[in-house]
Each structure stands twice: as C-alpha cells, then as structure tokens.
Amino acid sequence: GAVVSQHPSRVICKSGTSVKIECRSLDFQATTMFWYRQFPKQSLMLMATSNEGSKATYEQGVEKDKFLINHASLTLSTLTVTSAHPEDSSFYICSAGLAGIRDTQYFGPGTRLTVL
Amino acid sequence: AQSVTQLGSHVSVSEGALVLLRCNYSSSVPPYLFWYVQYPNQGLQLLLKYTSAATLVKGINGFEAEFKKSETSFHLTKPSAHMSDAAEYFCAVSARGYTGFQKLVFGTGTRLLVSP
C-alpha cells in the first residue's frame, strides 16, 4: 500500500517550453503533497507544499510563477515548469501524505527533467 | 526550526561488516525522525521512523536506529551489510505536528559503498 507514481519518468524539452509532471497517489487519498528538487549528488530541497483544493505554499526562493502547482484532487498533484531553461534541469520528486498518518510521506520515483 | 547533520558523505564497508550511518539533529520542538534510502535514479523508500514511541526503532531490510535525546542523535545501523545495501541514505527530521503535515528537512545524504 501507499504507492505514489510520477509521470513522466524522464522528459527532455527545449528551452522556453513548458513541462507538466504528474504525481498520483495510487491506493490512498493524499490531502497533502510535497514537491522536491534534487540536484546531482545532493539532498532533496522542498519546493512547495500543496493541499487539495487550495493554493500551494512555496518555500523561500522558489518562483511560484515558474513552478505552477495544482492539487485538484485527493489523488493528483501536478507541477508545471513554465518557460523552462537549462538551469531547471534536475530530478523532481513528489511525496504524498496519507490522511490520518500525519508524520509519514510516501515518495514517488522521481522525474528527470533535461532542458536543452 | 529543524536541521540534520549527516557525518560522512561516503561510508565504505565490506560485505558482512557492521553498517553505521550517523545522523545528528537539531529541533526546537519534539521531533519526528526518519531514515530513507535512495537507489540510483529512483525516489525515496522509508526505512524506519521515530515518532515518540520506542527509542529503538526497527525498520526494513534489517536496519534499526536508536533515538538518543541527550546526544540529539539518530544513527542507523545494520549488523551485517549486503551488497544490495549499497545506496544513498538520507536522515530527515520534522516537527511533531498536531494539525496537518509538517515539512521534512533532509540531511545531505551518505553514500554507502559495500565491497565484496
């Protein structure tokens, strides 16, 4: 149980285009989802927290107009990287919180974004 | 505020030897503590967590960790390393929240290398 999926697993795009990444909780309802970014050989940095039906809360330094987050349902959150640039290339990982078990996040497999 | 320090970016052990990965935390409120494992190009898998119950926590794959408040530590151990244990390990801390999810703060990670 508590499986989180991400789609796509890898994406390559041209500079200036937008890319959407989906995060789904497959067998549970997630009231809260988190988006992280991980640079090579580095730790995970929290980008934003999204609660179903409300606006995401972004961490300091994260551009909300560049990284659009939508949490439209209890099983789906999306991250859209708008007008992507090479410096946006990274590994993006989402996690989902299981309602009723506040302390544990379940992580998706990640999406490798490469911007040419 | 919470923070995590993982001592040693790389730890090398021989197969069958004891594994010890160090984690020290700082938290202004009672913490929840976690160990996650990450295999190359994958998301994070929860190994174990401390949430104020028993201070010695047993996890998956034979790992365990002990919460020591006096030392602000949560070191991860395994009596006998397997080749399959080679991966990146992250210690994380969050505040013990009573409403909603609390953010995870990750350490910088420790890469475990296992030699035959």
Side-chain angles (χ1 to χ4, degrees), chain B:
Chain B
Q2 290 81 38
S3 67
V4 170
T5 301
Q6 289 184 243
L7 295 176
S9 59
H10 292 80
V11 170
S12 295
V13 300
S14 299
E15 192 173 19
L18 171 70
V19 175
L20 171 61
L21 304 182
R22 300 179 185 274
C23 172
N24 288 89
Y25 71 92
S26 173
S27 179
S28 55
V29 297
Y32 289 149
L33 292 158
F34 307 81
W35 275 100
Y36 286 89
V37 60
Q38 184 181 33
Y39 296 98
N41 296 309
Q42 295 186 27
L44 274 68
Q45 181 182 8
L46 179 67
L47 280 177
L48 48 80
K49 62 181 179 181
Y50 166 76
T51 57
S52 77
T55 56
L56 181 61
V57 182
K58 294 186 183 298
I60 62 171
N61 301 338
F63 285 94
E64 64 180 37
E66 186 172 9
F67 172 70
K68 291 187 177 180
K69 185 178 179 180
S70 61
E71 299 177 8
T72 61
S73 68
F74 190 58
H75 301 330
L76 181 70
T77 61
K78 182 174 180 178
S80 176
H82 292 172
M83 296 296 290
S84 60
D85 294 328
E88 188 85 19
Y89 291 81
F90 292 97
C91 182
V93 63
S94 71
R96 192 181 306 172
Y98 297 96
T99 57
F101 270 85
Q102 302 299 310
K103 295 186 290 187
L104 275 176
V105 175
F106 285 88
T108 51
T110 298
R111 181 166 297 279
L112 177 64
L113 306 169
V114 182
S115 57

Side-chain angles (χ1 to χ4, degrees), chain A residues 9-24:
Chain A
S9 58
R10 292 177 180 270
V11 57
I12 300 173
C13 68
K14 293 182 179 180
S15 185
T17 61
S18 295
V19 174
K20 179 183 285 188
I21 302 170
E22 293 185 348
C23 176
R24 294 181 184 272

Side-chain angles (χ1 to χ4, degrees), chain A:
Chain A
V3 178
V4 177
S5 70
Q6 278 184 246
H7 179 79
S9 58
R10 292 177 180 270
V11 57
I12 300 173
C13 68
K14 293 182 179 180
S15 185
T17 61
S18 295
V19 174
K20 179 183 285 188
I21 302 170
E22 293 185 348
C23 176
R24 294 181 184 272
S25 55
L26 298 184
D27 52 0
F28 66 100
Q29 292 186 328
T31 53
T32 304
M33 287 185 170
F34 301 84
W35 286 95
Y36 296 84
R37 184 173 181 176
Q38 185 179 32
F39 290 104
K41 301 187 186 304
Q42 294 188 28
S43 189
L44 281 74
M45 300 299 294
L46 179 66
M47 299 175 67
T49 303
S50 72
N51 290 294
E52 185 265 338
S54 61
K55 290 184 178 181
T57 301
Y58 290 81
E59 294 300 298
Q60 190 173 8
V62 177
E63 299 177 61
K64 60 181 66 177
D65 293 332
K66 180 166 188 62
F67 298 99
L68 301 179
I69 292 172
N70 183 278
H71 193 163
S73 76
L74 286 173
T75 60
L76 174 64
S77 176
T78 59
L79 168 67
T80 301
V81 183
T82 62
S83 187
H85 290 284
E87 57 266 30
D88 298 325
S89 298
S90 190
F91 195 51
Y92 292 88
I93 305 177
C94 73
S95 70
L98 179 57
I101 305 180
R102 292 192 303 272
D103 55 296
T104 303
Q105 296 179 29
Y106 296 92
F107 286 79
T111 296
R112 173 76 58 193
L113 170 63
T114 303
V115 185
L116 302 177

